[in-house]
Amino acid sequence: MEVIIQFAKRLGLVKRILPIITAISMLFSLVGGLAPTPGALDQVKNVILLIGDGMGENHLKLAKQSLGIELVMETMPLRGQQKTAAFGKAVTDSAAAATALACGVRTLDGSLGVYPYDIYALESYPISLTELAMQRGMKTGVVTTDSTTGATPSGFCAHTSKRGNAADIVAQQISSDIDLIWGSANSKTEQSNVQAGGYTYISTYTELMAINKAQKSFGQFNGNFIWQTENNENTPTLSQMTTKAIDLLDGDEGFFLMVEHDHIDGFSHGNDADKMVISLQEFDNAIAVALDFAQADGNTLVIVTADHETGAIQPEGDTYVYTSGSHSGVDVPLFVYGSSNFIKNGQAIKNKDLSIYVARSLGFSAEEFPRKVPIYWADNQAA
Ligand SMILES: [Zn+2]
């Protein structure tokens, strides 16, 4: 398909086939919907969005019970739920979920930052919160324990029909102008290409600590250690990366930072409860860093949520157990600090609306985000 599209583009056929694609899309997307219009939300200067990949409510209970700890995220003043569906599908993958959380649009599983009816972005693609922030001159960052080409980080810095298009994703990241992109190393991200794009390439904690505000940085760290609660083999932890990212991004312009702990999902696929709870603890450590900054700053919105639940964890006797190795469609936790009215306590909102509320909290209007599309192409409004 990609080859055909490229060929068609060269022949100038795109304009001719667009009406056909439009007609097809109308068949499965007849009922459009308008972007939600929440009341006037408290305005903030900075946003830190923390995503626990695969983290459901029962992951929290299992972690607290196993580790004998309380969770910092549960001290946040607003607590609700987030509905995680993909376009026309109750159980999402991380790519469609990242698109909803980043771009305010539900799309097809496997697609990143593109509309479900235009996955090759022939006509347009939805901009992400990262790009929206950059348009205003805000600082931006993407920090993850996953490969930097993973679905969740890529949803915040790429637009492509398939999450597996790693070379395409890397090329887009290198030309993205995002101030920092840090995560696990991967074979598609080459030091020379990163440097040619104006980024400082870093691969150790020592190099990370040496980065200053004038440098854009691309972090490729050791994926064997990056998920842990301790710094091992000169590999930073998620909370150390979060501390440094905030330090670099904080300034007059304001910033948007996405922080993801990917391994809550990864270890849940394998039903490895011991490593999952360590990952969740480190995710909570990163949340604590974000909240410390937000409390001191007084003008920062901190959002904690997941992209979906993984493992269908259920209560069994007096504990919690995995009942699957896949994603489930249950609502996931949503915690908010720094806004009195982002949600009401106990409220459940859609994944795509969460990003729209974030944009509104930063003062972006309905005209600015999400980008308007023809009504027959409008986003799927299924619960
Ligand atoms: Zn997964």
Side-chain angles (χ1 to χ4, degrees), residues 8 54 61 120 140 217 228 240 263 268 274 297 311:
K61 292 175 180 161
Y120 299 103
T140 54
S217 53
Q228 299 176 356
Q240 288 173 335
H263 290 68
S268 290
D274 292 343
D297 176 67

Side-chain angles (χ1 to χ4, degrees), residues 322-343:
Y322 284 106
T323 64
S324 122
S326 308
H327 298 178
S328 79
V330 297
D331 294 351
V332 293
L334 170 60
F335 302 101
V336 180
Y337 175 92
S339 171
S340 66
N341 55 7
F342 191 90
I343 53 168

Side-chain angles (χ1 to χ4, degrees), residues 53 94 265-266 269 308 310 327:
D53 201 310
S94 288
D265 171 72
H269 278 294
H308 53 74
T310 307
H327 298 178

Side-chain angles (χ1 to χ4, degrees), residues 30-46:
L30 280 170
V31 183
L34 300 170
T37 50
L41 298 179
D42 292 348
Q43 298 297 293
V44 294
K45 176 185 167 195
N46 310 309

Side-chain angles (χ1 to χ4, degrees), residues 53-74:
D53 201 310
M55 184 184 77
E57 290 284 355
N58 287 336
H59 286 71
L60 308 185
K61 292 175 180 161
L62 176 56
K64 285 192 290 184
Q65 188 177 61
S66 314
L67 300 168
I69 58 168
E70 293 301 314
L71 293 171
V72 172
M73 68 181 97
E74 292 194 302

